[in-house]
Amino acid sequence: MKYSIGGFCDLFLDFCKGIEDLLDRVKVEGDTAVIDAKGLTHKELNDLMRYAVVEKGVSRLKLLNVMGQRYIGTRLYLPDSRKVEIEVHGFPGNDLGAFLAGHKIVVYGNAQDGVGNTMDDGEIIVHGRAGDVVAMAMRGGRIMIRDDVGYRTAIHMKEYKDKVPVLIVGGTAQDFFGEYMAGGRVVLLGLNLGDKPHRARYIGTGMHGGIMYIRGKVEQWQLGKEVGIVDMEEEDWKFLEKHIGDFCKEFGFEKDEILGGKFLKLKPVTKRPYGRIYAY
Amino acid sequence: MRGKRVVLPDKDHQACGLFGVIDRSGRRFSGEMAINAMINMKVRGNGLGGGFAAYGIYPEYKDYYALHVMFQDWDMEAKHRVDEFLDANFDVVYAEEIPVNPEANVASPPLFWRYFVSPNKKGDEKKLSDDDYVVKKVMEINTKINNAYVVSSGKDMGVFKGVGFPEDIAEYFMLAEEYKGYMWTAHSRFPTNTPGWWGGAHPFCILDWTVVHNGEISSYGTNKRYLEMFGYYCTLLTDTEVMAYAVDLLMRKQGLPIEIVSKIFAPPMWDHIDIMDEKKKKFYTALRMNYGPLLINGPWTIVVARHGEMFGITDRIRLRPITSGEKGDLLFVSSEESAIRAVCPDLDRVYTPMGGEPVIGRLKSREKELAKQLSEVE
């Protein structure tokens, strides 16, 4: 029991295999490592990913049979700022790409809660849907989700100087979209809604920075008290054109059709929405 | 005394794991699917509680209430008192120790017996329905006989639970080999505010109602006091218990459908009621005024089941996760999509309902029954 403390074994770590027992899971072909994740714990899978990238020097990872393993890509910070491309086949678990350090993750399947949690840089692309708190506290890079997202998307997303995170959601979102958002750009396209309105309530509650673009129908009562609707400007369209262009290239939608829709631009009314609560 | 393995309770991962599956055609299947789904979500629990509810497992005794009784510390005095109590109040047609696998990796298991009984009502109690009578007697055992707890009391169903990871509990009770049901719910526990003990594991059960729960019920005090007015007493030291008694009160005794019960547990916010049309406004206001003490506050997801149906629902601002999936006659609810995919990779449909909106899985036969009742009302 490697991880035992005072005679107690660790319920998780002591049941994870070491790299030496898992090498048959990795096949290196040129600059690509293929890893069979079937039945692996999240520690085992992330250990193998780190092994392939750091020890074997690959720049592409292909993960097969992923089923609920968490934190994929989190422990891949590389001091030499090498970037890795990670293909995920299956259904990754919570906190996919948390703290992501500049790598690109493409998921062929659905993602769960916490995609891109506090992600620093890089890109996450999901060919499917995602769960709650997507892009939570995200501080750089870009996330594109093809279908719907759950509650509290982009909660407390932030920006600093030229680090401006971008999130594009192709479907619709549930409540508290952009809650406490402090920076960044969020685009909600509503492509699977047809003529139906978005159902999300409390959009932008507590928002105090950044910009949201929402395509499709939203009523005033669905918005939080801290956001206001402002006019689209030239640079907004430029921004949308670029990112929606990339979105369409990735997922095969018609760019002009999307851009032809009606967009609502939402900005916070004040930078300190609760500043007056405790001071007078 | 712990089992073979000495473990340090782990706080690195958190949140309970829930899973439920129903075959809407009524086909019965082993516990394997529920067990494997829980194994997939292992990091959601910490080994301090796991449990399963299975429906349709006692076809040979389906007309009798199946009481699963737990005797803490193998207290034979308690066993003796329960035997006497049951003999005095029921006709016991069959009783046995619940078979277990002693090789399973579980920590200090208590003694479990099951009794198949039918009510033997006397005097004033003849006025009570069978179900009400059983509830009353279960409460009497739980509150008056020290070290004895009825963990399961429905017909043709049973709850198997304890301290350990769900797969360990399943191995202990041999759920994959011994039982076949048309509906299974399962729970992996990560206790936060209440002790991890065998009686405190989920599911919680009264009659054939079972509840598994992830989260915290911060309105527990209010809910508990309200339920006490109707003769439900909370003895299992866990907030989830109130949910089991609340569904029994609202759905069995008062006959409310889940569509309305979900609006009692997770009512719309007042500012959303304000913008509804007059009729709806009146309805939701009345509901909130009458059933205020059963508003369930705090972060929670529950899966509730009774014969013929199962539903999953979250609190109204969804502070805990839920995902639902369908494949043919199978309907799943789970804390994570991957747990469903692990046992059924190619789903026809997968979706996440809005907070406070129930996902309902019903037997087709029950669905027809309901449709008939509705058409008669109209």
Side-chain angles (χ1 to χ4, degrees):
Chain A
M1 291 188 289
K2 272 193 287 192
Y3 299 92
S4 75
I5 308 166
F8 292 98
C9 82
D10 186 291
L11 272 177
F12 180 71
L13 292 177
D14 273 318
F15 298 91
C16 288
K17 285 184 182 155
I19 294 274
E20 59 284 1
D21 298 323
L22 293 168
L23 291 179
D24 59 329
R25 297 300 193 108
V26 193
K27 268 198 201 108
V28 180
E29 295 158 358
D31 67 342
T32 306
V34 181
I35 301 177
D36 180 5
K38 195 174 173 75
L40 295 184
T41 65
H42 64 75
K43 175 175 164 38
E44 291 163 343
L45 178 56
N46 277 299
D47 281 353
L48 285 178
M49 288 168 66
R50 200 168 165 78
Y51 162 82
V53 171
V54 176
E55 307 281 322
K56 296 284 164 187
V58 303
S59 56
R60 290 170 58 83
L61 291 166
K62 192 171 174 184
L63 315 182
L64 305 179
N65 301 317
V66 172
M67 200 58 90
Q69 288 90 350
R70 294 183 176 189
Y71 321 118
I72 289 176
T74 295
R75 279 195 288 119
L76 272 186
Y77 171 74
L78 303 169
D80 57 4
S81 52
R82 209 150 45 91
K83 302 295 176 236
V84 179
E85 268 192 58
I86 306 163
E87 246 181 57
V88 179
H89 295 267
F91 298 86
N94 294 359
D95 292 312
L96 168 77
F99 304 107
L100 192 66
H103 309 295
K104 179 177 179 181
I105 300 179
V106 185
V107 179
Y108 296 96
N110 296 332
Q112 294 186 165
D113 302 338
V115 174
N117 181 352
T118 323
M119 162 175 176
D120 181 60
D121 200 4
E123 188 164 34
I124 301 177
I125 296 167
V126 178
H127 288 251
R129 59 176 217 133
D132 295 338
V133 289
V134 171
M136 163 162 74
M138 183 181 178
R139 44 180 265 171
R142 183 168 72 178
I143 299 178
M144 299 202 284
I145 311 281
R146 189 191 65 198
D147 303 336
D148 296 341
V149 292
Y151 269 57
R152 297 183 182 77
T153 300
I155 180 171
H156 215 275
M157 185 190 251
K158 56 199 80 169
E159 67 182 64
Y160 181 68
K161 294 187 179 169
D162 58 342
K163 274 186 90 91
V164 182
V166 174
L167 167 70
I168 307 164
V169 176
T172 187
Q174 293 179 318
D175 294 357
F176 301 100
F177 188 66
E179 190 183 30
Y180 301 117
M181 208 171 132
R185 306 284 178 270
V186 170
V187 185
L188 184 66
L189 296 175
L191 299 176
N192 54 6
L193 285 176
D195 280 341
K196 284 186 282 185
H198 290 282
R199 286 190 66 197
R201 299 162 294 194
Y202 303 105
I203 295 170
T205 294
M207 184 174 176
H208 53 284
I211 301 173
M212 269 193 262
Y213 303 96
I214 300 183
R215 181 178 173 278
K217 289 179 200 159
V218 175
E219 301 281 341
Q220 183 66 42
W221 67 267
Q222 292 172 275
L223 305 181
K225 294 184 181 71
E226 295 78 12
V227 284
I229 301 168
V230 295
D231 290 335
M232 295 283 286
E233 285 166 37
E234 182 70 32
E235 58 187 290
D236 296 313
W237 288 114
K238 263 193 210 153
F239 168 86
L240 288 179
E241 192 143 345
K242 173 181 179 326
H243 289 284
I244 290 176
D246 293 349
F247 184 89
C248 290
K249 242 181 261 164
E250 188 67 39
F251 299 117
F253 290 104
E254 272 306 314
K255 181 173 133 189
D256 292 343
E257 212 171 286
I258 296 177
L259 284 168
K262 188 172 166 269
F263 281 85
L264 207 60
K265 179 182 176 185
L266 300 176
K267 278 186 84 167
V269 183
T270 150
K271 281 188 167 173
R272 295 192 65 219
Y274 303 117
R276 294 164 68 88
I277 292 179
Y278 302 111
Y280 50 88
Chain B
M1 187 201 85
R2 302 282 300 189
K4 277 167 284 182
R5 188 201 285 164
V6 188
V7 293
L8 188 65
D10 188 346
K11 272 270 179 190
D12 295 347
H13 308 287
Q14 44 200 306
C16 303
L18 308 182
F19 182 80
V21 52
I22 177 172
D23 189 313
R24 291 173 287 191
S25 73
R27 186 184 64 88
R28 302 192 307 137
F29 50 98
S30 86
E32 218 177 330
M33 201 185 259
I35 297 164
N36 288 335
M38 297 318 282
I39 290 173
N40 182 270
M41 287 194 287
K42 186 155 183 166
V43 290
R44 295 190 76 88
N46 66 351
L48 288 179
F52 298 81
Y55 289 80
I57 55 171
Y58 297 132
E60 63 275 40
Y61 291 108
K62 67 179 167 42
D63 299 325
Y64 299 94
Y65 292 91
L67 306 182
H68 287 192
V69 188
M70 172 185 122
F71 301 102
Q72 184 81 334
D73 303 328
W74 290 67
D75 186 336
M76 297 317 282
E77 166 65 20
K79 165 86 174 44
H80 182 67
R81 288 181 62 194
V82 167
D83 286 349
E84 277 186 346
F85 182 86
L86 293 178
D87 280 337
N89 294 285
F90 294 92
D91 292 324
V92 180
V93 296
Y94 186 65
E96 65 174 353
E97 189 179 340
I98 297 181
V100 293
N101 172 6
E103 298 296 309
N105 178 39
V106 293
S108 36
L111 172 66
F112 283 96
W113 269 67
R114 63 184 163 213
Y115 302 82
F116 296 94
V117 303
S118 64
N120 184 3
K121 293 179 260 189
K122 294 179 203 79
D124 257 7
E125 285 172 334
K126 285 190 175 153
K127 282 184 236 157
L128 295 174
S129 70
D130 283 2
D131 281 350
D132 284 340
Y133 181 80
V134 171
V135 171
K136 188 168 173 244
K137 296 301 163 190
V138 166
M139 293 296 154
E140 278 178 38
I141 295 175
N142 286 351
T143 51
K144 288 182 186 153
I145 302 181
N146 205 19
N147 280 341
Y149 299 91
V150 180
V151 297
S152 175
S153 48
K155 290 176 181 172
D156 196 15
M157 57 80 65
V159 165
F160 304 89
K161 63 181 184 177
V163 175
F165 282 104
E167 64 268 29
D168 299 332
I169 298 300
E171 197 190 351
Y172 185 62
F173 290 108
M174 303 181 286
L175 300 183
E177 302 86 19
E178 294 283 316
Y179 302 93
K180 276 192 169 152
Y182 65 87
M183 177 164 70
W184 292 79
T185 64
H187 185 262
S188 174
R189 189 160 185 232
F190 194 106
T192 44
N193 298 339
T194 49
W197 68 297
W198 281 69
H202 301 210
F204 286 91
C205 174
I206 187 74
L207 296 173
D208 65 343
W209 292 101
T210 59
V211 178
V212 289
H213 164 225
N214 166 19
E216 266 159 61
I217 297 173
S218 37
S219 56
Y220 175 71
T222 308
N223 305 145
K224 181 181 116 163
R225 278 191 287 278
Y226 183 78
L227 289 165
E228 278 169 0
M229 299 197 299
F230 297 90
Y232 297 94
Y233 298 97
C234 297
T235 56
L236 296 174
L237 312 175
T238 303
D239 51 2
T240 309
E241 199 182 1
V242 298
M243 296 295 267
Y245 302 152
V247 286
D248 185 62
L249 175 69
L250 296 174
M251 296 185 68
R252 181 179 65 85
K253 294 195 78 167
Q254 304 188 353
L256 298 174
I258 175 56
E259 288 78 359
I260 290 183
V261 172
S262 63
K263 299 300 176 212
I264 293 170
F265 289 168
M269 302 287 180
W270 283 114
D271 52 346
H272 291 144
I273 293 178
D274 283 345
I275 54 172
M276 288 174 179
D277 64 47
E278 276 311 308
K279 203 176 154 191
K280 272 191 171 168
K281 195 187 282 184
K282 224 172 151 183
F283 172 73
Y284 282 109
T285 305
L287 216 52
R288 289 202 65 162
M289 303 301 269
N290 280 308
Y291 290 108
L294 281 182
L295 186 155
I296 311 291
N297 223 333
W300 51 267
T301 298
I302 51 167
V303 178
V304 179
R306 70 163 150 175
H307 267 301
E309 66 183 349
M310 164 180 94
F311 61 90
I313 181 177
T314 72
D315 65 273
R316 53 195 173 167
I317 53 172
R318 211 175 58 244
L319 292 159
R320 290 291 180 274
I322 192 169
T323 296
S324 178
E326 288 177 52
K327 170 77 184 170
D329 285 332
L330 292 172
L331 181 137
F332 303 90
V333 287
S334 172
S335 294
E336 296 186 15
E337 181 177 339
S338 59
I340 304 176
R341 298 275 183 184
V343 295
C344 186
D346 55 335
L347 295 168
D348 301 334
R349 182 175 176 227
V350 54
Y351 64 102
T352 301
M354 294 282 267
E357 289 180 9
V359 174
I360 304 170
R362 280 195 186 107
L363 281 183
K364 284 178 189 159
S365 51
R366 169 68 69 92
E367 202 79 72
K368 273 183 206 149
E369 229 172 81
L370 281 174
K372 197 171 153 237
Q373 279 172 6
L374 277 177
S375 67
E376 277 165 13
V377 172
E378 278 162 10

